[in-house]
Amino acid sequence: MEEQEQFREYQRLEDFEEDSPPGEDDPLVHVPDSVKDSWHHIKNLDNFFTKIYHFHQKNGFACMVLSDFFELIQFLFVVTFTTFLFHCVEYDVLFANKPVNHTHSGGAADRNKVTLTDAILSAQQCALRIQESGWIIFLLVMAAIFWLYRLIKMFCSLLSYWEIRRFYIRALKIPSEELCNFSWQEVQSRLISLQREQPMCVHKKELTELDIYHRILRFKNYMVAMVNKSLLPVNFRLPLMGEVTFLTQGLKYNMEFLFFWGPGSLFQNKWNLQPKYKRLGQRLELAQDLNRTIVLLGLANLFLCPFILVWQILYAFFSYTEVIKREPGSLGARRWSLYGRLYLRHFNELTHELQARLSRGYKPATKYMNSFASPLLAIAAKNIAFFAGSLLAVLIALTVYDEDVLTVQHILTAITVLGVVVTVARSFIPDEHMVWCPEQLLQCVLAHIHYMPDHWQGHAHKSETRDELAQLFQYKAVFILEELLSPIITPFILIFSLRHKSLEIIDFFRNFSVEVVGVGDICSFAQMDIRRHGNPQWLSEGQTQASVYQQAENGKTELSLMHFAITNPHWQPPLESSVFIGHLKEKVQQDAANAPPAQQILCDAPICSSFLSNESGTAPDNLLASVLVHPVLTASGLPTRDRRFAQPTTTASAAASVLASLSISQFSGRQPGPTASSSMYHSDQTLQEESMSQSDSQQKNMSRSSLLASEFASAEMSLHAIYMHEVHQNQGITQRPLGMWQASELSPHQRQQTAQRSSSRSGYRGVRLGGWEEEEQLQEVDERSPLQAPEGHSTSGSSS
């Protein structure tokens, strides 16, 4: 038993491509003046690379400074304007409840006309009212202190922005006016080249794409992994409401503050986990300490709740009132929830990459959600719209006939409210021209978001599937409501839910943290190591040694690896990853042999683009639509362009046929350097001509641009996601992996049986540790000394 505990201690993976950072916190350290305009030995590369990334994404120095400046002005405006409304306006005069006499030159008094200045108090009266309220003075002092803190922080950021601007101009040779013409991949390529000439990291000669991603996304990868392993308490089952997901900006901020950078957090600096969290012997004491810290944080949130709640209400009022008045239907629009962004995010996926992917999936997801309509709600909405519209029409007609109608009390309010009611009611009336095709729409959504639970397959027409997708793709009104309620609910989630996860959190950070030489402690899932975290049910059978506890859910390790390889074509992955991608390509070639040629599938692009793709009809859209719809055409017996290939096909075989036509993989045909291809596969010229000949002439010109190359890379990843999901579903799994909703429905006894069955297939036996399944080491490990670790690993720290 003692040897097993020694094995479970924090372990460090040897990494062939990274280096350990020095321990200082200064963002930039320059060499002496004799070597000008060079950046050597940057001590905090996490901070430095993150600033470089944000500088690029926020469009340079001027935009960043202006944005920070207006944030200060906005805060100042909200505080002063709110104070003015509460203490400097005479509302009895404004609402004509108190008469005001206007004496003209002739001595006649006008009691009917009220001007805006009559309702505004003088500066002396306003100041006197404010001085009479000690509570308001306290709030204003606190707001002033916070504003001064933000002002000082802005000046410090200004110096940092200027330093990054100099780095872009002098080191990367990118002028400020040309920054918008450079993609992040080009900036990243110049960073890697600069390392060879002027070492920013002195411990190694070469930087890789994964080095940069690990530093920028160190903490984000931990959050993605914790959501993937269902560790964070964000899913709740409530009476009358069923399954509810609650994750707001405030709750997420508290979790990051607690885990990563706050006082008493698990990390001792930006890149190293505290040594005590790496040892197994102290796990119970550390869990108790974390429990107390969470309680204190929850109490602090409870104390600050009134202040934060008031600010949230004021900010929401000033931000959304005008939008709701102008476009009431905007509240019925949808957005990807914060939980959805973490659930759908790949390991090592930058924010702009995630945003682009989810933006492509927005229209298909909206079409899918709108395809569900309640007949009862539709009937009620039609009648409400009729009655409200009738009243609104009469009021508008009277106003047109005589504008004095507007002077009638509350008539303008009635017109506004009735207009909102009509707009909202019409949003619940389904489009009579809509075609009911939920399975194809959900497949189109999957092509872009890349993840969905197994039990959605074949159940796209069910309301349960729609409700679960609604947790990822929520109404904007729901988002606003959750943010308003966040100051009230967050303290209770911290105190009554998160603190009970303390032991599991401690175990998670110990078991899934690796110390990479040159980078520090990172989430082991971010290594995208198929051998350690692969799932045999996701095309990695025979290549992984991971137990159920170690496996990433929903094929996230495999899909993240494919996404990173396609997004960064110059990256040279380790051997295990190369073997997996090579195996995947071989299987694609095998499945493509039994499928129609890619040219035949793409010949139906005009038909498919009108069915599923976006209105733009670009070549990548047509390519995806062809793959998704071609199996439907053949299965239904509809004629195709070539009757020789009219036999039924599957979505997997259609995707394999198109992928197989993209010849020369990144490993057999790609060489490192600037001449490498821009995607995982080189697109076959004949295939591109076939697909693009169906679009307008502008597509041919766009194909020569980097934008279209990026679109084709995105389409290629979408095809891989479709193919891998189809193959996963077709494997005939007797016990499906637990999704984010399925796991919560099983009893502890059922979970234990599931873990035992899965562990027996992979050669591991499951044991319980803090509510999480942990692996039991092979027999030979029991005979090793405490200082010995499995091959390819090294231990850090000793058991206490």
Side-chain angles (χ1 to χ4, degrees):
M1 191 66 182
E2 183 178 355
E3 288 80 8
Q4 292 177 0
E5 291 182 350
Q6 291 170 354
F7 168 73
R8 296 192 193 109
E9 286 195 14
Y10 175 88
Q11 297 177 349
R12 178 179 59 200
L13 288 181
E14 293 183 10
D15 195 358
F16 50 88
E17 40 179 44
E18 316 209 40
D19 231 327
S20 68
E24 270 75 27
D25 290 302
D26 298 332
L28 292 174
V29 175
H30 293 285
V31 295
D33 294 336
S34 58
V35 184
K36 295 182 179 180
D37 300 334
S38 61
W39 282 260
H40 290 263
H41 191 186
I42 299 173
K43 294 186 176 181
N44 190 344
L45 281 175
D46 284 33
N47 190 25
F48 182 65
F49 287 152
T50 301
K51 288 181 179 179
I52 290 176
Y53 175 71
H54 288 163
F55 190 90
H56 177 267
Q57 294 300 306
K58 294 181 179 180
N59 302 305
F61 178 80
C63 292
M64 296 180 75
V65 172
L66 199 62
S67 177
D68 288 353
F69 173 75
F70 277 112
E71 282 185 8
L72 285 175
I73 297 300
Q74 190 178 81
F75 179 83
L76 189 63
F77 171 80
V78 170
V79 172
T80 55
F81 189 54
T82 302
T83 305
F84 170 80
L85 291 177
F86 277 97
H87 294 87
C88 301
V89 177
E90 189 70 40
Y91 287 99
D92 288 336
V93 175
L94 186 64
F95 296 147
N97 296 327
K98 180 179 179 180
V100 177
N101 295 330
H102 294 276
T103 304
H104 298 284
S105 57
D110 185 0
R111 296 177 178 272
N112 295 323
K113 187 175 181 180
V114 177
T115 62
L116 189 61
T117 55
D118 295 330
I120 298 178
L121 300 177
S122 64
Q124 184 177 3
Q125 291 176 307
C126 182
L128 184 61
R129 279 193 173 188
I130 295 175
Q131 292 174 3
E132 292 174 351
S133 175
W135 182 249
I136 293 298
I137 293 177
F138 172 75
L139 292 179
L140 290 177
V141 170
M142 295 298 296
I145 294 174
F146 180 75
W147 189 83
L148 290 175
Y149 164 75
R150 293 290 300 273
L151 180 64
I152 297 173
K153 186 177 179 181
M154 191 197 78
F155 279 115
C156 295
S157 299
L158 181 66
L159 300 177
S160 176
Y161 297 158
W162 185 260
E163 189 71 15
I164 298 297
R165 177 182 178 275
R166 291 182 64 247
F167 179 80
Y168 264 88
I169 295 174
R170 302 187 180 185
L172 300 183
K173 309 299 182 185
I174 301 178
S176 298
E177 59 273 10
E178 295 293 330
L179 180 62
C180 58
N181 298 327
F182 284 80
S183 68
W184 169 250
Q185 301 300 328
E186 293 171 316
V187 174
Q188 183 175 257
S189 177
R190 296 199 178 199
L191 275 174
I192 295 173
S193 300
L194 182 65
Q195 169 68 17
R196 304 188 188 103
E197 302 171 1
Q198 302 178 8
M200 294 173 287
C201 180
V202 297
H203 298 282
K204 61 184 304 182
K205 295 182 179 179
E206 295 286 339
L207 278 177
T208 68
E209 293 85 352
L210 193 58
D211 292 345
I212 298 174
Y213 275 70
H214 276 168
R215 294 183 182 276
I216 297 175
L217 300 171
R218 185 189 304 275
F219 298 150
K220 186 65 67 177
N221 282 326
Y222 274 107
M223 293 295 293
V224 172
M226 284 189 282
V227 168
N228 180 257
K229 299 298 289 184
S230 301
L231 177 60
L232 300 180
V234 294
N235 296 314
F236 307 94
R237 187 176 295 277
L238 302 179
L240 304 178
M241 298 182 65
E243 191 76 23
V244 175
T245 299
F246 186 86
L247 180 62
T248 62
Q249 292 287 352
L251 180 57
K252 177 173 172 286
Y253 177 88
N254 276 275
M255 290 180 178
E256 292 177 344
F257 178 86
L258 180 69
F259 298 148
F260 304 124
W261 50 268
S265 66
L266 279 63
F267 278 73
Q268 63 182 3
N269 50 40
K270 297 294 184 181
W271 52 79
N272 284 123
L273 199 66
Q274 294 191 43
K276 60 183 179 181
Y277 292 102
K278 303 176 182 180
R279 293 188 284 267
L280 178 64
Q282 295 180 324
R283 58 188 290 269
L284 296 178
E285 293 83 354
L286 294 174
Q288 293 176 357
D289 293 341
L290 181 61
N291 190 313
R292 286 192 293 268
T293 304
I294 294 175
V295 171
L296 292 176
L297 184 62
L299 293 176
N301 276 265
L302 202 60
F303 173 76
L304 296 174
C305 172
F307 309 102
I308 302 175
L309 181 62
V310 170
W311 171 257
Q312 293 278 65
I313 294 174
L314 291 175
Y315 187 82
F317 175 80
F318 291 131
S319 299
Y320 298 110
T321 302
E322 188 275 333
V323 176
I324 294 173
K325 178 182 179 299
R326 177 168 41 88
E327 298 179 8
S330 62
L331 292 179
R334 291 186 176 270
R335 67 187 302 278
W336 296 103
S337 66
L338 186 59
Y339 173 77
R341 290 176 179 271
L342 290 174
Y343 177 80
L344 299 175
R345 190 168 193 158
H346 293 296
F347 296 122
N348 300 310
E349 183 176 23
L350 293 172
T351 301
H352 77 281
E353 297 169 352
L354 174 68
Q355 183 61 41
R357 184 162 59 86
L358 296 184
S359 297
R360 294 186 185 99
Y362 182 86
K363 287 185 177 180
T366 302
K367 289 181 180 179
Y368 174 77
M369 300 298 290
N370 291 340
S371 65
F372 289 82
S374 170
L376 292 177
L377 187 60
I379 293 174
K382 287 180 181 179
N383 286 275
I384 291 174
F386 172 77
F387 294 125
S390 300
L391 295 175
L392 181 62
V394 172
L395 292 179
I396 292 177
L398 292 175
T399 302
V400 172
Y401 177 76
D402 189 352
E403 63 181 9
D404 290 337
V405 175
L406 293 175
T407 61
V408 178
Q409 191 175 20
H410 301 313
I411 196 68
L412 191 59
T413 302
I415 293 176
T416 303
V417 171
L418 288 172
V420 171
V421 170
V422 171
T423 303
V424 173
R426 286 178 178 174
S427 65
F428 291 99
I429 301 175
D431 185 2
E432 59 183 6
H433 304 293
M434 184 179 297
V435 179
W436 174 252
C437 50
E439 292 292 344
Q440 286 71 34
L441 284 173
L442 191 59
Q443 282 287 329
C444 193
V445 174
L446 172 64
H448 297 291
I449 67 175
H450 300 170
Y451 295 100
M452 74 176 189
D454 292 336
H455 61 276
W456 286 9
Q457 188 75 16
H459 298 90
H461 61 284
K462 292 187 176 182
S463 59
E464 292 83 359
T465 302
R466 178 194 180 276
D467 294 340
E468 290 177 359
L469 180 59
Q471 297 178 12
L472 308 178
F473 195 54
Q474 63 182 177
Y475 283 116
K476 191 171 185 179
V478 175
F479 163 75
I480 296 174
L481 181 62
E482 287 182 350
E483 291 297 329
L484 290 177
L485 295 177
S486 178
I488 301 174
I489 299 177
T490 294
F492 295 99
I493 293 179
L494 293 174
I495 296 173
F496 297 106
S497 294
L498 184 61
R499 75 183 186 92
H500 296 300
K501 296 274 189 176
S502 298
L503 185 58
E504 298 177 42
I505 293 171
I506 296 297
D507 290 338
F508 177 89
F509 276 90
R510 185 185 69 255
N511 293 323
F512 295 123
S513 291
V514 293
E515 182 181 352
V516 178
V517 179
V519 176
D521 294 325
I522 65 171
C523 182
S524 60
F525 288 103
Q527 294 286 93
M528 300 176 295
D529 187 352
I530 298 296
R531 180 178 59 85
R532 187 178 185 186
H533 293 302
N535 191 326
Q537 298 171 357
W538 285 86
L539 300 174
S540 59
E541 187 173 4
Q543 304 176 44
T544 179
Q545 302 174 1
S547 64
V548 175
Y549 175 65
Q550 293 175 312
Q551 295 169 4
E553 304 295 333
N554 299 318
K556 189 173 283 286
T557 300
E558 291 79 5
L559 287 167
S560 297
L561 174 60
M562 296 303 301
H563 178 268
F564 192 84
I566 293 173
T567 305
N568 299 276
H570 306 308
W571 177 59
Q572 298 299 317
L575 178 61
E576 293 82 1
S577 301
S578 302
V579 170
F580 170 78
I581 299 179
H583 168 71
L584 175 60
K585 185 185 176 186
E586 291 177 1
K587 185 166 181 58
V588 166
Q589 297 287 351
Q590 294 173 3
D591 290 346
N594 300 321
Q599 288 78 5
Q600 169 58 27
I601 296 176
L602 294 175
C603 280
D604 297 322
I607 302 175
C608 304
S609 62
S610 64
F611 184 63
L612 282 181
S613 65
N614 296 332
E615 291 79 359
S616 57
T618 61
D621 290 332
N622 290 342
L623 187 149
L624 283 175
S626 300
V627 170
L628 294 174
V629 177
H630 191 271
V632 179
L633 298 178
T634 57
S636 60
L638 295 176
T640 58
R641 300 292 181 94
D642 193 339
R643 296 182 181 274
R644 294 177 300 169
F645 304 106
Q647 69 275 16
T649 58
T650 64
T651 305
S653 61
S657 179
V658 176
L659 285 173
S661 64
L662 302 175
S663 59
I664 311 177
S665 73
Q666 61 174 344
F667 306 109
S668 61
R670 187 183 67 197
Q671 300 296 330
T675 60
S677 68
S678 60
S679 65
M680 180 180 171
Y681 297 99
H682 294 289
S683 297
D684 181 64
Q685 183 178 1
T686 304
L687 174 63
Q688 285 196 21
E689 290 176 356
E690 287 288 340
S691 62
M692 295 179 62
S693 63
Q694 310 300 329
S695 304
D696 23 79
S697 58
Q698 294 181 355
Q699 298 298 326
K700 190 172 184 179
N701 297 330
M702 290 180 62
S703 65
R704 298 185 180 93
S705 67
S706 59
L707 177 61
L708 190 58
S710 174
E711 290 296 322
F712 267 106
S714 174
E716 180 186 339
M717 180 59 210
S718 297
L719 291 175
H720 278 97
I722 294 172
Y723 176 76
M724 294 173 70
H725 272 273
E726 288 291 323
V727 172
H728 168 67
Q729 290 289 339
N730 294 335
Q731 282 182 341
I733 305 171
T734 57
Q735 176 64 43
R736 296 185 183 276
L738 301 180
M740 55 180 177
W741 295 277
Q742 289 174 304
S744 61
E745 297 175 357
L746 295 182
S747 64
H749 179 67
Q750 289 173 322
R751 295 184 189 180
Q752 186 175 5
Q753 288 181 335
T754 299
Q756 290 174 352
R757 286 196 295 268
S758 302
S759 300
S760 63
R761 289 196 298 268
S762 60
Y764 287 83
R765 291 172 293 160
V767 294
R768 300 296 294 174
L769 182 59
W772 283 72
E773 295 292 342
E774 292 216 17
E775 72 278 6
E776 203 172 319
Q777 177 62 339
L778 299 177
Q779 295 297 326
E780 59 266 20
V781 177
D782 296 339
E783 301 174 1
R784 294 178 180 167
S785 65
L787 297 180
Q788 291 177 322
E791 185 178 356
H793 296 67
S794 62
T795 58
S796 177
S798 58
S799 178
S800 60

